[in-house]
Amino acid sequence: MRSRIGVMGRVSRDFQVFAKPAGAFCNLDCHYCYYKDKSSLYPGTARMPDSLLEEYIVQHLAAADGPEAGFSWHGGEPTTLGLGFYRKAVELQRKHKPSGWVVRNGIQTNGALLDDEWGRFLSAEGFSVGLSLDGPAELHDPYRVDRGGRPTHRQAMRGYDVLRRHGVHPDIVCVVHSLNVRHPLTVYRFFREIGCRYLVFLPAVEPGSPYMPSAEDFGAFLCKIFDEWIARDTGRIMIQTFDEAARPALGLDHSLCVFRETCGQIPVLEHNGDLFPCDHYVDREHRLGNILETPLAELLDSPAQRAFGDAKRDALPRYCRECEVLAMCRGGCPKYRFIRTPDGEEGLNYLCAGLKRFFLHSRAPLARWVSRQQPRAVPTLSRPAAAGRNDPCPCGSGRKYKKCCAAGQ
């Protein structure tokens, strides 16, 4: 297949596209979900057609710098499209990838639709899998319900068991909300008991939401878990925020977008080909264009996308620029900057107080850990498996290991 929009160049920087082939559609109705209202942008059924799927794969491969390319499938709930869609995607990737290249896939799922056929496919094709799970049933079920209002913990755990049975160790994405934030060790010990290897804590921050944790509670949540984790679980469980907190002491740039100086390297591709700078900014104002009209590489390198990413740095209030933990935080996600600084300037991150508490609390223990490392040691706190330089980085950034945690070696 030749692209309908002509010759495409490579992007001048690393990127990771969150492709949403089912748009915002989901089989669940989680109370705190920030993406479900995006369905109002696209009335009707959301499904990426095969022709667009192929066009996207062609353009993504052309934009990547090789010899690897990574595809990330998100939603909504991407498994609602059925296994056939992803079999087709893998077939098209094999058809179009340059000789000698390796193509990798990741998928984020609530796990409810996973069965053994899914498990065999994901394992055989080497998919990395993110599984949404908010802790034990009593902390997961109140807010993560299906479209009939019924609890979903049992389905999520069934999906987790399917993955483990087929040799897939999923990354657990735990949304931290107003309920589970008050039970940090219950949450953490549950994940340890089920054999979690990689854990992401994602705060449910949305202005006015009753499910939003307070900044103070979120900071206490991280500190409580950090103390238990660093005492007994480094090397066994990788927790994304903790690894990020260690990176400045190791002389490394952050790999997670919310803590990087600038952002804009993780755009969203909607089911119809529209591209947006970030999945927190999927709205008409921030639409960059459509890959059927403008090449993906051109959109990723566009002045609008560059300006979006640079604004994260340039719009920092003075309170942040003078903060002692600036190198660790970088002001956090721009979407969360909706409160005022103590001196009244706009643009402070809602989670500022909690993040600052955690970074100050963890700084000395992390510095001691760094001082104990051998020269040229692998610079992550809890790297669970070996990785080649061209493999995806075990820290979960979506970047190649050589361009992420190995960059300082």
Side-chain angles (χ1 to χ4, degrees):
M1 173 186 180
R2 288 184 60 83
S3 170
R4 291 187 293 273
I5 57 174
V7 177
M8 299 167 288
R10 291 180 177 175
V11 178
S12 62
R13 55 180 178 165
D14 288 343
F15 67 91
Q16 180 185 10
V17 176
F18 280 5
K20 296 179 180 277
F25 180 77
C26 187
N27 54 325
L28 303 192
D29 190 22
C30 301
H31 295 336
Y32 51 65
C33 180
Y34 66 90
Y35 205 79
K36 59 185 174 182
D37 66 343
K38 308 303 180 186
S39 59
S40 62
L41 293 172
Y42 304 103
T45 302
R47 182 186 180 92
M48 182 178 286
D50 288 352
S51 58
L52 178 56
L53 173 64
E54 184 166 15
E55 181 71 28
Y56 165 55
I57 288 170
V58 169
Q59 292 194 31
H60 187 120
L61 291 171
D65 64 357
E68 292 189 0
F71 290 79
S72 298
W73 307 101
H74 284 246
E77 175 51 41
T79 63
T80 58
L81 294 183
L83 188 50
F85 179 89
Y86 298 96
R87 292 190 190 280
K88 181 71 172 178
V90 169
E91 175 187 323
L92 291 169
Q93 289 166 352
R94 290 186 177 126
K95 174 182 175 182
H96 293 294
K97 73 180 180 70
S99 177
W101 277 37
V102 174
V103 174
R104 302 186 187 277
N105 288 278
I107 191 168
Q108 179 65 38
T109 178
N110 57 46
L113 298 178
L114 298 182
D115 57 19
D116 283 325
E117 188 177 10
W118 270 103
R120 284 189 292 270
F121 169 79
L122 295 169
S123 177
E125 298 297 342
F127 271 61
S128 61
V129 180
L131 182 72
S132 298
L133 191 61
D134 290 354
E138 66 271 20
L139 299 177
H140 173 105
D141 281 339
Y143 296 160
R144 293 191 65 84
V145 296
D146 66 16
R147 296 173 76 83
R150 296 176 291 267
T152 63
H153 190 267
R154 182 176 297 178
Q155 294 97 307
M157 288 303 300
R158 185 177 64 237
Y160 179 78
D161 290 341
V162 165
L163 294 169
R164 290 294 302 273
R165 189 162 60 247
H166 290 278
V168 178
H169 286 272
D171 303 344
I172 300 295
V173 177
C174 172
V175 174
V176 182
H177 48 68
S178 56
L179 177 59
N180 63 5
V181 74
R182 299 194 294 269
H183 305 277
L185 294 183
T186 300
V187 170
Y188 179 59
R189 289 168 182 170
F190 168 78
F191 289 129
R192 184 170 62 209
E193 288 167 6
I194 67 172
C196 173
R197 290 185 177 183
Y198 184 81
L199 185 55
V200 175
F201 291 123
L202 183 67
V205 176
E206 197 70 26
S209 168
Y211 312 109
M212 186 166 61
S214 72
E216 293 77 10
D217 283 349
F218 184 63
F221 177 92
L222 293 176
C223 290
K224 282 280 190 181
I225 293 174
F226 176 84
D227 289 345
E228 178 151 329
W229 171 82
I230 202 163
R232 58 173 293 174
D233 292 328
T234 57
R236 298 173 56 211
I237 302 173
M238 179 181 281
I239 299 180
Q240 186 183 57
T241 304
F242 301 170
D243 265 26
E244 289 294 322
R247 294 178 74 88
L250 291 159
L252 297 171
D253 290 336
H254 285 295
S255 60
L256 183 63
C257 61
V258 298
F259 297 135
R260 292 178 69 88
E261 186 175 35
T262 61
C263 59
Q265 293 171 283
I266 310 180
V268 162
L269 182 74
E270 261 288 347
H271 69 286
N272 69 335
D274 284 347
L275 194 75
F276 299 87
C278 166
D279 70 349
H280 287 293
Y281 290 88
V282 176
D283 53 47
R284 290 183 176 87
E285 177 186 354
H286 289 91
R287 180 180 177 272
L288 296 168
N290 189 291
I291 66 167
L292 294 177
E293 300 166 353
T294 308
L296 175 64
E298 185 176 326
L299 293 173
L300 292 173
D301 266 341
S302 67
Q305 182 69 346
R306 292 279 183 176
F308 173 86
D310 290 346
K312 181 177 190 286
R313 174 197 61 219
D314 299 342
L316 270 180
R318 185 179 67 179
Y319 182 80
C320 293
R321 297 195 303 270
E322 297 175 353
C323 180
E324 61 186 307
V325 297
L326 175 62
M328 300 172 118
C329 176
R330 298 295 179 186
C333 180
K335 191 66 174 179
Y336 302 165
R337 296 179 184 177
F338 53 82
I339 63 173
R340 293 178 180 270
T341 67
D343 57 2
E345 190 177 358
E346 294 183 348
L348 184 64
N349 194 303
Y350 169 81
L351 295 173
C352 173
L355 289 173
K356 187 171 184 178
R357 175 182 174 180
F358 165 68
F359 287 132
L360 290 174
H361 178 83
S362 63
R363 186 163 58 182
L366 290 174
R368 289 193 292 270
W369 176 85
V370 169
S371 70
R372 293 195 299 267
Q373 302 311 297
Q374 297 297 318
R376 302 175 68 82
V378 175
T380 57
L381 281 172
S382 48
R383 181 168 171 260
R389 289 184 62 77
N390 284 315
D391 289 341
C393 189
C395 78
S397 67
R399 304 166 73 193
K400 297 184 183 68
Y401 178 51
K402 68 183 180 183
K403 291 186 176 181
C404 189
C405 288
Q409 298 189 74

